[in-house]
């Protein structure tokens, strides 16, 4: 597909997402999701529009697109603070497809979502059984299936299990998105195959959160610009104050940088080809670091520009800012990825810095 | 709300092979230049180097061949620029002419001016300065007062320009003068001129910077004569022309790479197996560096596509100069090494140079405050 053609298709995809989310993701829907109601109607529309598996091959049940398509969906979903496991379904679907497994319909999640939990498979006749516990699994209680990165005698495997086979200990993140502990005891595995290791799942999580946060920052910028041009104080609009203008210019810079960093990482995923993920972790680290930093600074600026009203539950700003404060820490915060990236850069040596980053 | 338009820009394969050529040339031309010398970045002035670069066809790269240019793409030019900056090559003797004076003449100059100046710029033989700021007008450029009065065969110029980098070692300065006083309309009546800095009536006085260096000058015009054929573009159109020129000035990779030498020295200092704190700092700086490069490349891609990325260029310069300035601060916070002048290690001397020069990064080419005003206007706030 030519670049131009791909870009046009992505514009259409972005319009589809924006139209759907603008119409459906209302403050009422967000509030009810925060109280634990699963937005079934919205999920069905998202799924029917092919937005949950954009980069999964058609032969496995996906839309047959690219990571750049996934980027568009995730950014838009982040901008609208969509209370659904779109990112998790995307990741899970891709991991299944990579392992040669079919992707089921319905919401998926992935486990483990921390580097420290280990899940193990044990052979049981022709199949497998799953053991272990995974904390803070996104949307654990509401996913129909869990895509698990587990080990079978030290060999990395991707396994599909029904969520109903897990004991669920419910918890949430700051945005009241489910982050549950799932525990399996000799649970039945629907399908399993050798596939990417758990570290890959961790990288995909960082990648997805980077795009979602970059979208969230776009919202903060647009919403803050809107607010300061409407709100008057001291007899003039807030937007006419130079102090406000400069804060928003700063937010615009961080938003642009975050958007570029995320877009670049997804572009590299496409350029390197699915399955050759050894190196793109480099760009994923870059994205998670840069976007995470922008998220904290951006949330601060947006709240400052909104004054007290932005600090209320009644105003919608927090649907995004609370997500940013959680997402930047999920799948590795800036310090984690900076340490990884810094070690890799240092190991190559000073003279390799520029040649390395221009060769990618 | 109007949004920014940063798309990924992938360099074509011909740009990548050019990169290897440029790198090889720089390796040979710069030889064993020390890190602290390379830290001068685009502050290093070396006419011989500029001539050699020009001989390779790497100045005026996008200009028509009939003016000594090479008709190459914006992205190929970008590769040459970023390789020169990353290597710390002394590019100052051609930088301004290649970046803005040449393109300005190409756009607004007369045929005779183009034929006279562009081929020599492309050969790396002509150094240009920029005569814009005045003692009473720095960021408020439209308030300049230096007068150019029309007389027989040309203009008589009286007034003073300030902060004119390299005026004392350059050949020409593209200068903005007031040719007509239009009450209450300070943006009108301005005109641009090609000023031969050796002309009678021009006196150049050095301004020494805080690090003891001589880059800035005051340029006094006392009944200096500028011939008619040195007017650039239309009389009275100076403001519009200058705005175009400033966009060239803000769009390049020199707005985020000034401190790259210190990142490299930090990596060297930290060693192949750095401690955690150093690794975190190196990782974070690398993430910012890579992201800014993609943003800067994106602007180059827009230029290549014939778009007008003024707003995006302002964003890159604002974010980029903030990054350049932060690097010596970050290095200090991490290691607390004393910055040094002529003694000490290359790391300490590179730090010494950059700590002192960093304040200028967000002043030159439009202050941070001016840029944020431009960005705010782009956001629809003013």
């Amino acid at each position: 597909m030519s670049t131009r053609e791909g870009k046009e298709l992505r514009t259409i995809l972005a319009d589809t997402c924006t139209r759907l989310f603008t119409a459906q993701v209302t403050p009422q829907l967000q509030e009810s999701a925060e109280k634990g109601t699963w937005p079934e109607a919205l999920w069905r529309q998202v799924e029917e529009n092919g937005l949950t598996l954009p980069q999964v091959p058609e032969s496995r049940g996906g839309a047959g697109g690219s990571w750049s398509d996934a980027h568009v969906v995730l950014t838009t979903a982040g901008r609208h603070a969509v209370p659904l496991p779109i990112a998790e379904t995307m990741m899970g679907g891709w991991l299944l497809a990579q392992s040669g497994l079919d992707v089921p319909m319905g919401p998926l999640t992935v486990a483990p979502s921390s580097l420290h939990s280990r899940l193990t498979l044990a052979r049981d006749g022709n199949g497998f059984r799953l053991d272990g516990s995974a904390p803070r699994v996104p949307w654990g209680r509401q996913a129909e299936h869990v895509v698990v990165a587990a080990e079978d005698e030290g060999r990395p495997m991707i396994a599909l299990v029904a969520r109903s086979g897990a004991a669920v200990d419910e918890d949430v993140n700051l945005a009241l998105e489910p982050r549950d502990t799932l525990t399996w005891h000799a649970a039945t595995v629907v399908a399993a195959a050798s596939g990417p290791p758990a570290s890959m799942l961790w990288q995909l999580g960082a990648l997805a959160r980077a795009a979602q946060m970059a979208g969230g920052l776009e919202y903060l910028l647009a919403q803050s610009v809107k607010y300061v041009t409407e709100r008057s104080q001291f007899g003039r609009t807030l937007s006419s104050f130079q102090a406000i203008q400069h804060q928003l210019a700063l937010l615009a810079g961080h938003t642009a940088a975050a958007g570029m960093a995320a877009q670049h990482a997804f572009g590299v995923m496409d350029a390197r080809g699915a399955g050759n993920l050894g190196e793109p972790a480099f760009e994923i680290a870059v994205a998670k670091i840069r976007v995470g930093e922008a998220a904290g600074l951006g949330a601060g600026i947006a709240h400052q520009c909104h004054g007290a009203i932005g600090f209320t539950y009644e105003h919608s700003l927090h649907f995004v800012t609370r997500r940013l404060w959680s997402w930047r820490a999920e799948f590795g915060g800036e310090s984690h990825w900076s340490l990884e990236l810094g070690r890799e850069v240092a190991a190559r040596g000073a003279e390799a810095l520029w040649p390395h980053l221009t060769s990618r | 709300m109007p949004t920014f338009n940063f798309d990924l820009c992938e360099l074509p394969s011909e740009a990548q092979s050019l990169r290897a050529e440029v790198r090889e040339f720089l390796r040979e031309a710069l030889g064993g230049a020390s890190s602290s010398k390379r830290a001068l970045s685009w502050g290093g002035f070396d006419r011989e180097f500029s001539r050699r670069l020009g001989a390779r066809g790497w100045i005026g790269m996008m200009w028509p061949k009939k003016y000594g240019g090479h008709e190459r793409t914006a992205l190929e030019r970008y590769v040459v620029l970023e390789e020169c900056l990353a290597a710390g090559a002394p590019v100052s003797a051609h930088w301004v002419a290649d970046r803005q004076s040449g393109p300005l003449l190409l756009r607004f100059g007369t045929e005779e001016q183009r034929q006279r100046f562009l081929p020599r710029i492309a050969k790396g033989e002509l150094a240009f300065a920029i005569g814009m700021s005045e003692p009473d007008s720095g960021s408020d450029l439209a308030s300049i007062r230096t007068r150019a009065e029309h007389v027989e065969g040309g203009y008589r110029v009286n007034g003073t320009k300030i902060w004119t980098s390299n005026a004392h070692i350059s050949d020409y300065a593209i200068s903005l003068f007031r040719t007509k006083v239009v009450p209450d309309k300070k943006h009108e009546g301005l005109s641009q001129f090609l000023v031969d800095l050796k002309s009678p009536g021009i006196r150049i006085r050095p301004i020494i910077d805080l690090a003891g260096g001589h880059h800035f000058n005051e340029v006094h015009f006392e009944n200096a004569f500028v011939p008619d054929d040195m007017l650039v573009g239309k009389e009275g159109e100076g403001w519009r022309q200058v705005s175009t020129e400033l966009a060239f000035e803000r769009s390049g990779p020199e707005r985020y790479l000034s401190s790259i030498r210190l990142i490299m020295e930090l990596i060297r200092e930290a060693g192949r197996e750095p401690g955690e704190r150093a690794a975190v700092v190196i990782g974070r700086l690398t993430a910012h560096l890579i992201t800014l490069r993609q943003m800067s490349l994106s602007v180059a891609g827009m230029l290549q596509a014939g778009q007008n990325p003024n707003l995006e260029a302002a964003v890159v310069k604002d974010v980029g100069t903030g990054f350049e300035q932060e690097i010596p601060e970050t290095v200090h916070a991490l290691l607390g090494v004393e910055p040094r002048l002529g003694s000490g290690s290359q790391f300490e001397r590179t730090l010494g140079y950059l700590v002192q020069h960093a304040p200028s990064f967000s002043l030159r080419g439009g202050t941070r405050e001016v840029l944020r005003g431009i960005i705010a206007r782009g956001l629809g706030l003013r």
Side-chain angles (χ1 to χ4, degrees):
Chain A
M1 189 190 297
S2 75
T3 316
R4 176 184 291 263
E5 204 180 318
K7 207 183 157 188
E8 279 169 11
L9 285 173
R10 279 194 285 285
T11 307
I12 296 168
L13 184 62
D15 289 345
T16 305
C17 295
T18 302
R19 248 198 325 274
L20 178 63
F21 297 150
T22 305
Q24 303 286 325
V25 186
T26 58
Q28 292 75 12
L29 181 127
Q30 281 162 323
E31 283 178 34
S32 100
E34 293 200 347
K35 292 188 179 107
T37 307
W38 170 252
E40 176 63 28
L42 176 63
W43 170 264
R44 211 168 306 123
Q45 286 190 62
V46 170
E47 193 169 57
E48 279 165 10
N49 277 287
L51 304 179
T52 56
L53 303 168
Q55 88 297 20
V56 170
E58 283 172 301
S59 59
R60 297 289 170 194
S66 63
W67 281 102
S68 298
D69 298 339
H71 170 256
V72 168
V73 176
L74 290 172
T75 306
T76 320
R79 193 190 303 137
H80 292 264
V82 179
L84 287 175
I86 297 177
E88 291 74 10
T89 304
M90 236 176 235
M91 290 187 247
W94 188 82
L95 288 168
L96 289 172
Q98 275 303 108
S99 314
L101 301 174
D102 288 332
V103 183
M105 292 290 282
L108 303 177
T109 189
V110 289
S113 59
S114 100
L115 273 185
H116 307 295
S117 38
R118 286 260 180 285
L119 301 170
T120 53
L121 289 172
R123 286 182 187 272
D124 177 28
N126 287 334
F128 291 92
R129 289 191 173 273
L130 177 66
D131 276 288
S133 187
R136 305 206 67 74
V137 174
W139 304 92
R141 79 195 74 151
Q142 287 164 335
E144 284 171 23
H145 290 90
V146 187
V147 178
V148 172
E151 286 182 359
D152 168 32
E153 292 170 355
R155 195 164 54 109
M157 301 277 290
I158 293 296
L160 180 69
V161 293
R163 200 266 303 135
S164 55
V168 179
D169 186 7
E170 296 189 359
D171 202 349
V172 289
N173 69 8
L174 293 183
L176 305 180
E177 293 178 312
R179 295 294 185 264
D180 306 326
T181 299
L182 301 189
T183 305
W184 292 276
H185 295 294
T188 307
V189 169
V190 177
S194 65
S199 60
M200 166 74 57
L201 194 159
W202 175 256
Q203 290 173 21
L204 292 182
L207 178 72
R209 290 290 183 266
Q212 291 171 287
M213 287 193 283
L217 279 157
E218 288 176 9
Y219 168 82
L220 295 187
L221 179 61
Q223 174 57 39
S224 300
V225 166
K226 183 167 178 287
Y227 181 77
V228 303
T229 45
E230 288 168 0
R231 170 80 169 162
S232 285
Q233 294 276 273
F234 307 104
R236 53 192 177 122
T237 61
L238 289 180
S239 61
S240 67
F241 289 88
Q242 197 175 42
I244 298 285
Q245 291 175 358
H246 286 200
Q247 283 301 300
L248 290 183
L250 188 59
L251 174 57
H254 282 297
T255 303
M260 195 82 246
Q263 199 182 348
H264 183 45
F266 280 80
V268 170
M269 293 285 283
D270 281 330
R272 300 264 149 156
N276 289 319
L277 272 165
E279 292 279 304
F282 196 84
E283 279 77 14
I284 291 174
V286 167
K288 194 66 169 40
I289 295 163
R290 187 61 188 89
V291 181
E293 188 173 320
L297 294 163
I301 293 171
H303 274 292
Q304 188 63 29
C305 290
H306 276 78
I309 192 70
F311 192 63
T312 62
Y313 192 81
E314 188 191 347
H315 194 282
S316 295
L317 190 63
H318 63 83
F319 288 120
V320 168
T321 55
R322 286 183 294 133
R323 278 173 171 76
L324 293 180
W325 290 321
S326 283
W327 288 348
R328 65 178 170 165
E330 292 178 359
F331 298 103
E334 295 96 279
S335 60
H336 167 85
W337 287 108
S338 293
L339 181 61
E340 298 264 304
L341 190 64
R343 281 180 173 154
E344 186 179 337
V345 167
R348 288 173 195 277
E351 294 305 323
L353 175 71
W354 183 254
H356 182 63
L357 71 90
T358 50
S359 71
R360 298 180 63 84
Chain B
M1 185 189 84
T3 50
F4 301 110
N5 177 33
F6 284 101
D7 284 327
L8 281 179
C9 170
E10 212 166 307
L11 289 168
S13 54
E14 64 265 26
Q16 294 295 16
S17 55
L18 173 64
R19 183 187 303 286
E21 279 178 56
V22 177
R23 214 170 264 178
E24 187 49 43
F25 166 80
L26 291 171
R27 201 181 344 262
E28 186 269 319
L30 302 181
S34 67
S35 219
S36 53
K37 189 167 180 202
R38 292 172 189 249
L40 267 59
S41 188
W42 47 296
F45 190 102
D46 180 344
R47 283 182 181 266
E48 179 53 28
F49 176 83
S50 292
R51 265 191 288 270
R52 290 187 64 189
L53 201 69
R56 293 299 300 263
W58 294 335
I59 300 175
M61 287 177 75
M62 295 166 65
W63 307 346
K65 287 188 173 152
K66 64 173 172 175
Y67 302 128
H70 304 282
E71 300 183 4
R72 300 186 77 158
T73 65
L75 298 178
E76 288 175 302
R77 174 168 180 266
Y78 187 90
V79 165
V80 173
L81 297 186
E82 68 171 359
E83 285 300 320
C84 284
L85 293 167
V91 293
S92 187
H94 68 270
W95 198 256
V96 165
D98 177 65
R99 178 181 71 188
Q100 61 198 92
S101 314
L104 183 82
L105 292 177
L106 203 53
R107 187 170 295 205
F108 300 112
T110 63
E111 183 59 26
E112 194 254 321
Q113 286 169 345
R114 292 176 192 164
Q115 289 186 6
R116 180 172 162 199
F117 292 102
L118 294 179
R120 291 185 63 201
I121 293 175
K123 283 185 184 157
E125 290 175 355
L126 285 184
F128 274 67
I130 307 163
M132 290 195 195
S133 296
E134 296 187 4
D136 294 326
S137 54
S139 290
D140 181 12
L141 187 58
S143 69
I144 60 155
R145 290 195 304 221
T146 296
R147 281 301 308 272
E149 280 173 283
H150 201 247
V151 293
E152 178 69 34
Y155 295 80
R156 190 173 57 224
V157 182
N158 282 286
T160 301
K161 291 290 172 186
I162 199 169
W163 317 127
T164 318
S165 294
N166 293 340
H168 60 303
I169 40 180
S170 294
D171 304 295
Y172 293 89
I174 300 259
S175 304
L176 185 67
F177 300 138
R178 193 164 290 286
T179 40
K180 193 175 161 193
V181 177
V182 186
D184 300 326
K185 288 188 177 165
K186 61 181 186 176
H187 295 85
E188 292 180 18
L190 300 173
S191 307
Q192 282 187 295
F193 293 89
L194 267 156
V195 174
D196 182 343
L197 289 164
K198 311 279 181 306
S199 314
I202 296 179
R203 207 155 40 87
I204 299 172
R205 208 179 64 77
I207 301 173
I208 304 304
D209 65 35
L210 61 81
H214 175 198
H215 299 279
F216 289 146
N217 299 277
E218 254 183 19
V219 182
H220 299 282
F221 297 87
E222 217 178 302
N223 292 323
F225 180 74
V226 180
D228 275 330
D229 63 5
M230 297 288 256
L231 172 71
V232 179
K234 285 206 182 98
E235 192 181 298
E237 288 288 304
W239 184 255
R240 191 173 60 84
Q241 295 175 198
V242 158
S243 305
T244 314
E245 188 183 338
L246 285 171
F248 297 133
E249 185 170 351
R250 288 172 186 152
S251 61
E254 69 268 37
R255 301 307 182 182
Y256 80 98
L257 279 173
S258 304
S259 300
I260 189 173
R261 199 46 53 178
L262 186 55
I263 302 182
M264 291 171 66
E265 282 302 314
L266 172 63
I267 295 170
R268 211 185 313 280
E269 188 74 12
R272 301 269 172 159
E273 291 178 16
E276 278 201 13
R277 288 179 65 224
V280 166
V281 166
I282 291 167
R284 178 177 170 272
L285 293 178
T286 305
H288 280 256
L289 180 67
I290 291 176
T291 304
L292 274 160
R293 177 162 181 266
Q294 293 302 322
M295 294 172 80
S296 181
L297 259 173
S298 178
V299 170
M302 288 181 244
L303 288 171
Q304 176 68 33
Q307 295 163 356
N308 180 10
N310 284 359
L311 198 54
E312 286 82 1
V315 172
V316 176
K317 182 173 184 292
D318 183 35
V319 178
T321 54
F323 171 66
E324 293 179 326
Q325 280 179 334
E326 195 194 320
I327 294 167
E329 294 309 297
T330 304
V331 166
H332 167 73
L334 175 70
L335 297 173
V337 164
E338 187 189 346
R340 300 277 284 268
L341 295 173
S343 61
S345 70
Q346 284 299 317
F347 176 52
E348 292 161 329
R349 290 161 70 170
T350 303
L351 181 63
Y353 179 83
L354 283 168
V355 161
Q356 294 192 87
H357 285 80
S360 71
F361 299 165
S362 57
L363 300 173
R364 58 191 185 186
T367 65
R368 170 172 297 137
E369 288 69 26
V370 165
L371 290 169
R372 292 205 174 152
I374 292 171
I375 298 165
R377 185 172 292 120
L379 292 171
L381 299 177
R382 44 187 290 191

